[in-house]
Amino acid sequence: MDDTVPLRRVAGASVVDFDCASADSAAQSLDQWRALREQGRMLWSSRYDGYWLVTRHGDIRDAFRDWELFSSARSDPEVCSLRIPGTAGRRLLIPEELDPPQWLPYRRLISEALTPRRAAAMRPRVQHWVTHYLAEVVESGTIDLVDDLTVAVPAAVVLEWLGFPQEEWRRIAMAWHDVAGYAPGTPEFDAALAELGWLDVRIAEMVSERREHPQDDFVSVLVHQMVDREGIETEQVEALVRLAIAGGVETTTSAAVAALLHMHHHPEVRRQLQERPDLLPAAVEEFLRMYPPARTHARTVTRDDEFAGCPVSRGDRILLSEVSANYDEDAFPDPEAFVIDRAPNNHLTFGAGIHRCPGAHLARIEITEIITQVLATIPDYQVVEKDVVLYPNWGTAGGWTKVPAVFTPS
Ligand code: HEM
């Protein structure tokens, strides 16, 4: 045990020396969380000034749901506390970094815009963009499943819905992709950070333009409903637009690539889905369970209390792991196996409770359409494994920087 950790914090919990930001691959992340689950429901890590680790599906779900005990809000206005270690930056993620009651008006608007019915109405645009981007490569016989398809499609769908002009989609999506895909300190990462600075300027311009000249897009809805009707500051609307882009673009990319890679490694799954498209909805859930793009989220304890058999204290930090929940042997029999029709499949890839992802319906539609059209248009694609590049870090977000593939041109 680390002597420097105060005893009150470790009562009832084992202390581990776990660096949640250290995993450099999906496999390493899975190994780490499996070992932690074996050690207990609640663990105390001595890293980063100490924090709780919740390892089991039921407890992680309950912690996500208990927003009164586990706050998403910042304690330090300069540090986002949804990650461990916290990430410096002044700009709030709205509504993710707000607790009720401030959270509600923003959440209501974004939820209403992305209900199952509204998301279903976006399916023709999703189909259009998948067809469009596949058509650009189909005669060549080569594709980067990331750059050419799974970055391009979610960017087109979300940025068109928001109202950004088409010539900016790629630039915006690549900025988010490169921030996740390259290690801090590399020239690519620094260039992507600079691009995010440009994006902030563009978001501010868009919000101001739509105020003057509303169009048929979601930024216009936000400006009209929130700034004009509810008197909410323009800056908060800009923050909501920023999170709609950040949440809507890169996570969907990672989930779709994971499914395509899985079918490359498991031709029997590819065959089954070609022969039985009716299995696709359940298969998409299983892809989402096995490859959660957001691997962890953090919260801050709001009062002295008890959780999962351990005393927690106001101000403690706590890490909830989507990946550990999704691989919990007690919640998912044979969790490391891909079970194409797994039921029930209560994975936590989209979180749980009040902050549960409002984009989940749209994300499922995008992943489904990408798989469907890939299987129809380039059915024999083979990933060039030696050229695959993973994100450098799988602690908080998992994904692939490059996944080149070849196929029979048509
Ligand atoms: C596979 C794709 C996606 C995954 C895995 C994902 C995952 C998540 C997770 C885990 C949360 C909860 C975070 C927390 O509890 O702190 C979340 C929240 C959120 N997501 Fe997603 N997301 C995806 C796609 C999308 C899309 C397509 C959009 C929008 C177009 C979106 C917008 C948001 C927003 C605005 C929030 C904050 C909600 C709130 O705080 O009430 N996401 N997402």
Side-chain angles (χ1 to χ4, degrees):
M1 185 188 290
D2 179 343
D3 292 340
T4 61
V5 178
L7 263 182
R8 90 180 158 74
R9 292 193 186 276
V10 298
S14 303
V15 177
V16 290
D17 177 32
F18 173 61
D19 179 358
C20 54
S22 68
D24 61 12
S25 66
Q28 195 183 64
S29 165
L30 288 188
D31 290 347
Q32 286 181 339
W33 284 105
R34 190 185 316 102
L36 293 169
R37 278 194 303 281
E38 282 164 13
Q39 293 189 57
R41 278 170 80 184
M42 275 284 268
L43 305 169
W44 177 261
S45 171
S46 49
R47 295 284 179 122
Y48 304 118
D49 298 330
Y51 62 97
W52 291 107
L53 289 160
V54 192
T55 66
R56 291 288 172 176
H57 178 279
D59 295 331
I60 296 168
R61 182 202 53 214
D62 291 350
F64 266 123
R65 287 179 178 165
D66 194 346
W67 58 267
E68 285 169 301
L69 180 56
F70 300 116
S71 166
S72 297
R74 295 182 175 207
S75 326
D76 175 344
E78 300 294 323
V79 181
C80 168
S81 45
L82 293 173
R83 304 268 176 258
I84 293 177
T87 41
R90 215 177 47 79
R91 296 192 180 283
L92 266 189
L93 298 171
I94 292 182
E96 206 180 344
E97 286 187 86
L98 299 177
D99 293 331
Q102 291 85 353
W103 158 88
L104 183 62
Y106 304 97
R107 170 67 190 214
R108 205 174 45 217
L109 261 186
I110 192 141
S111 292
E112 280 170 5
L114 292 168
T115 58
R117 218 156 52 94
R118 290 246 164 97
M122 290 163 81
R123 189 183 287 271
R125 293 314 289 160
V126 178
Q127 287 170 331
H128 166 81
W129 289 117
V130 181
T131 309
H132 172 90
Y133 289 112
L134 279 174
E136 287 191 345
V137 296
V138 74
E139 289 176 15
S140 72
T142 64
I143 181 170
D144 183 339
L145 293 170
V146 181
D147 281 12
D148 298 331
L149 187 64
T150 55
V151 166
V153 170
V157 171
V158 170
L159 295 169
E160 182 177 57
W161 165 68
L162 286 168
F164 282 82
Q166 186 169 357
E167 58 275 15
E168 292 179 350
W169 296 350
R170 183 159 191 84
R171 187 170 172 190
I172 294 172
M174 287 315 285
W176 284 110
H177 181 60
D178 288 352
V179 158
Y182 292 98
T186 58
E188 291 88 351
F189 181 87
D190 291 344
L193 269 193
E195 285 292 86
L196 290 184
W198 163 79
L199 177 58
D200 281 341
V201 174
R202 277 300 295 131
I203 291 173
E205 284 171 2
M206 275 278 291
V207 168
S208 147
E209 277 164 30
R210 292 307 193 260
R211 188 160 195 179
E212 295 301 312
H213 307 288
Q215 312 260 321
D216 185 17
D217 57 40
F218 189 57
V219 171
S220 300
V221 172
L222 288 175
V223 173
H224 177 61
Q225 296 282 344
M226 309 203 76
V227 180
D228 296 345
R229 283 203 184 162
E230 301 202 24
I232 285 174
E233 301 284 329
T234 304
E235 199 183 326
Q236 326 296 65
V237 173
E238 291 169 11
L240 207 157
V241 173
R242 192 177 309 108
L243 180 60
I245 300 174
V249 170
E250 191 50 27
T251 42
T252 314
T253 300
S254 166
V257 178
L260 299 177
L261 263 168
H262 187 97
M263 288 190 290
H264 163 77
H265 290 299
H266 301 274
E268 73 287 359
V269 174
R270 183 189 317 212
R271 223 175 12 255
Q272 266 179 304
L273 290 177
Q274 279 164 333
E275 288 165 6
R276 296 265 321 268
D278 58 302
L279 288 172
L280 197 49
V284 167
E285 294 310 308
E286 186 66 342
F287 289 130
L288 285 164
R289 180 189 71 82
M290 289 191 77
Y291 306 103
R295 317 227 14 121
T296 55
H297 276 93
R299 300 288 193 254
T300 307
V301 177
T302 57
R303 60 172 189 265
D304 295 354
D305 207 324
E306 197 177 293
F307 184 77
C310 283
V312 291
S313 304
R314 185 182 151 86
D316 283 354
R317 304 278 287 131
I318 186 161
L319 190 70
L320 313 178
S321 167
E322 285 92 338
V323 60
S324 194
N326 289 0
Y327 281 80
D328 181 349
E329 306 70 11
D330 292 342
F332 301 98
D334 203 1
E336 299 200 14
F338 180 88
V339 179
I340 200 162
D341 55 356
R342 189 183 285 277
N345 193 344
N346 299 315
H347 62 74
L348 295 186
T349 294
F350 293 115
I354 63 165
H355 292 282
R356 187 172 193 282
C357 180
H361 315 295
L362 179 60
R364 288 186 170 107
I365 289 172
E366 293 180 59
I367 298 163
T368 303
E369 288 304 327
I370 288 173
I371 296 174
T372 303
Q373 292 199 37
V374 163
L375 292 181
T377 312
I378 53 169
D380 63 352
Y381 75 91
Q382 289 298 319
V383 171
V384 184
E385 289 182 31
K386 69 174 179 40
D387 295 332
V388 168
V389 182
L390 278 82
Y391 284 1
N393 185 288
W394 280 66
T396 52
W400 290 265
T401 312
K402 297 223 167 294
V403 181
V406 292
F407 56 88
T408 309
S410 62

